[in-house]
Amino acid sequence: IETISGITKGYPFFIQQLCKIVYQNTDKVLIEKADVESCIEEFLTTLDEGFFKSRYERCAESDKKFIFEMWRVAVYNFECCT
């Protein structure tokens, strides 16, 4: 539960999506941390192709420009500070 909460930051929809993917990919009665960790890539892909994509597509052009500027600044700060 701590791993799921950490990955999703407690966001209810993200919890639901991650748990759905873990459930679909696990045949065991007891789900372990490794089971959750093995599903992270699929979870992130699912969010990118569905959740985030649909929201981005509904953005105005000015919002899209703002999003890319936020990303650019984040990349710059990451490269400068690491």
Side-chain angles (χ1 to χ4, degrees):
I1 293 175
E2 289 176 16
T3 302
I4 292 169
S5 181
I7 294 166
T8 63
K9 304 296 187 232
Y11 188 74
F13 180 76
F14 292 177
I15 293 170
Q16 180 183 14
Q17 289 298 302
L18 179 54
C19 289
K20 175 184 172 187
I21 292 167
V22 172
Y23 178 78
Q24 290 173 337
N25 290 303
T26 307
D27 292 343
K28 300 187 275 181
V29 173
L30 180 63
I31 294 175
E32 299 176 28
K33 182 177 181 178
D35 300 316
V36 174
E37 291 172 342
S38 70
C39 294
I40 293 173
E41 187 173 335
E42 182 179 346
F43 167 66
L44 295 175
T45 299
T46 299
L47 292 181
D48 285 346
E49 293 174 355
F51 182 82
F52 293 121
K53 182 180 178 185
S54 66
R55 279 149 185 81
Y56 177 77
E57 289 172 346
R58 291 186 294 212
C59 287
E61 284 304 314
S62 59
D63 294 331
K64 290 178 182 178
K65 289 177 185 177
F66 181 74
I67 290 168
F68 275 102
E69 282 303 308
M70 288 183 357
W71 173 81
R72 188 183 63 75
V73 169
V75 168
Y76 173 79
N77 286 337
F78 178 76
E79 290 173 353
C80 284
C81 302
T82 56

